């Protein structure tokens, strides 16, 4: 960061955000196809340093799966019961892996209707059929359902399943599995030992359709979930949380302001009971980061900080409370604390991104990854339906602090708890344009980031953090946008 920027922005004198700054062009002395936008958070590597927000109109299992397949990450929201959260994390973990350990099965005497319900609930296209001795005796896929609706209620799975199941031994290689799937022209290959089910291999998981996918050590998709810093109130909730932990790689502590004694204590207790890694947030200042990095004695599970307060497009925190730390300011502040105390901690700039050009700006002031709800709420993969308003396709996008989102009890502790928080919402609910598939949105964002890095003369994320930046005058801001035209802008 230039001294000028440090003095003007990092001081408390000016609280700047994206539109207030520009990256100063640099010398490009590398081959532009070799540019590397991959980034790290703890032990995890992301080919695409972009995360979708933990919001109930942005990231449920479909978005989380797609984001991870495309090289980023989707943080599952928590505005639902722990049981529902468990279903979501299981779906993400099972979505793609060379070997599925936790195979969905159904008893041979089950009815077709039960198979349908199970397959819909788990979001799977096939189910392994087992007998009373737990041995594999068939496989039933979506294609096996009879076309006559009336049979659905009365028909038995055993009459429609494939009975001659081709299976493979435990320990078979990827190539052996591929060969067997191809030879028999099948899509699902149970792994069996003396007839007992040990796992399942599927064609779609073996094909390198998504070479950039964000994966864990066993080749399954990375899974992240928002988490309240409050320790569960009863044993059964703790038990469920531990089960969720089993399928989750990273918990994102999900509160509007994390620099609070009660949240820090709760999170430390959670870390003792759970095994996954933790990203803590949100915070907005050097002081908060310094405190978390030096005074709290968190375990090694602490891998990242998420920053930005009051910047979200659906956020009204700063209007309602007068407090905020815009994402660019917060990123610059916390980046300095991380550099001073623990450079291994990852930094996520969260919210307030309006244009692709805001991504390189966040990275230039120290972010490792960026998080957005706004870019993704209008995608096909976000929860909710496509509506039409005045001929335009739209989807609902709502803040987790909006009145609409806080009708359930699950998210109340994201903000200041108590009666006042119910009457003083910190978010709004509105529509955003429907923008099609998330892959198109990510391509545009990646291009913005890549091209910004090329102009800045940085061939990777760590060099981009050394780019020179500066505050732009009001006149400069106007000039940097299309201007003096016939009025389209
Ligand atoms: P956006 O991408 O600019 O819309 O910002 C999304 C971010 O805003 C999320 O990742 C959250 O950190 C934050 N956020 C979500 N809901 C609310 C809210 O109701 N009030 C304030 N901030 C919110």
């Amino acid at each position: 960061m230039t001294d000028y920027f440090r003095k003007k922005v990092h001081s408390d004198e000016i609280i700047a955000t994206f539109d207030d700054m520009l990256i100063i062009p640099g010398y490009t002395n590398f081959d532009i196809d070799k540019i590397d936008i991959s980034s790290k958070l703890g032990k995890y590597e992301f080919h695409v340093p972009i995360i979708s927000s933990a919001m109930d109109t942005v990231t449920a299992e479909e978005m989380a799966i797609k984001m991870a397949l495309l090289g980023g990450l989707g943080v599952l929201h928590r505005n639902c019961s722990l049981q529902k959260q468990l279903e979501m994390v299981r779906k993400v973990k099972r979505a793609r892996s060379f070997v599925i350990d936790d195979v969905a099965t159904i008893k041979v005497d089950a009815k077709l209707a039960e198979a349908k319900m199970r397959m819909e609930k788990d979001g799977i296209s096939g189910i392994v059929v087992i007998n009373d001795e737990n041995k594999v005796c068939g496989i039933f896929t979506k294609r096996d359902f009879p076309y006559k609706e009336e049979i659905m209620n009365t028909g038995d799975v055993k009459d429609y399943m494939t009975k001659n199941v081709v299976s493979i031994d435990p320990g078979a290689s990827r190539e052996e599995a591929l060969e067997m799937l191809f030879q028999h022209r099948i899509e699902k290959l149970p792994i069996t030992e003396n007839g007992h089910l040990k796992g399942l291999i599927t064609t779609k998981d073996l094909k390198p359709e998504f070479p950039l996918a964000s994966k864990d050590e066993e080749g399954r998709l990375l899974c992240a979930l928002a988490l309240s810093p409050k320790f569960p109130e009863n044993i059964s909730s703790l038990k469920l949380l531990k089960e969720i932990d089993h399928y989750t790689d990273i918990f994102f502590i999900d509160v509007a302001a994390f620099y609070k004694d009660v949240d820090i204590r709760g999170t430390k207790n959670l870390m003792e009971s759970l095994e996954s890694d933790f990203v803590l947030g949100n915070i907005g200042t050097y002081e908060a980061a310094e405190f978390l990095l030096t005074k709290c004695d968190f375990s090694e599970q602490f891998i990242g900080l998420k920053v930005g307060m009051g910047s979200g497009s659906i956020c009204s925190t700063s209007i309602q409370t007068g407090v905020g730390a815009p994402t660019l300011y917060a990123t610059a502040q916390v980046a300095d604390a991380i550099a001073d105390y623990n450079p291994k901690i990852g930094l996520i700039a969260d919210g307030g991104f309006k244009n692709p050009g805001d991504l390189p700006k966040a990275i230039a002031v120290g972010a490792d990854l960026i998080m957005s709800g706004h870019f993704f709420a209008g995608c096909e993969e976000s929860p909710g339906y496509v509506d039409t308003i005045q001929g335009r396709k739209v989807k609902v996008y709502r803040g987790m602090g909006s009145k609409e989102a806080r009708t359930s009890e699950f998210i109340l502790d994201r903000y200041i708890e108590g009666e006042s928080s119910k009457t003083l919402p910190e978010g709004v609910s509105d529509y955003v344009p429907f923008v099609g598939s998330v892959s198109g949105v990510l391509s545009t964002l990646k291009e913005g980031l890549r091209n910004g890095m090329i102009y800045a003369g940085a061939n990777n994320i760590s060099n981009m953090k050394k780019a020179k930046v500066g505050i732009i005058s009001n006149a400069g801001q106007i000039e940097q946008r299309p201007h003096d035209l016939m009025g389209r802008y």
Side-chain angles (χ1 to χ4, degrees), residues 53 55 312-313 315 350-352 372-374 397 399-401 414-415 426-427:
S53 294
M55 298 170 72
S313 58
C315 172
D350 174 17
S372 172
H374 185 259
Y397 180 36
M400 299 314 298
R414 195 175 190 278
Y415 301 87
E426 290 186 30

Side-chain angles (χ1 to χ4, degrees), residues 156-173:
D156 293 311
V157 165
K158 64 173 179 300
D159 297 329
Y160 295 89
M161 68 186 191
T162 301
K163 294 193 178 95
N164 295 328
V165 182
V166 179
S167 63
I168 197 163
D169 293 336
S173 68

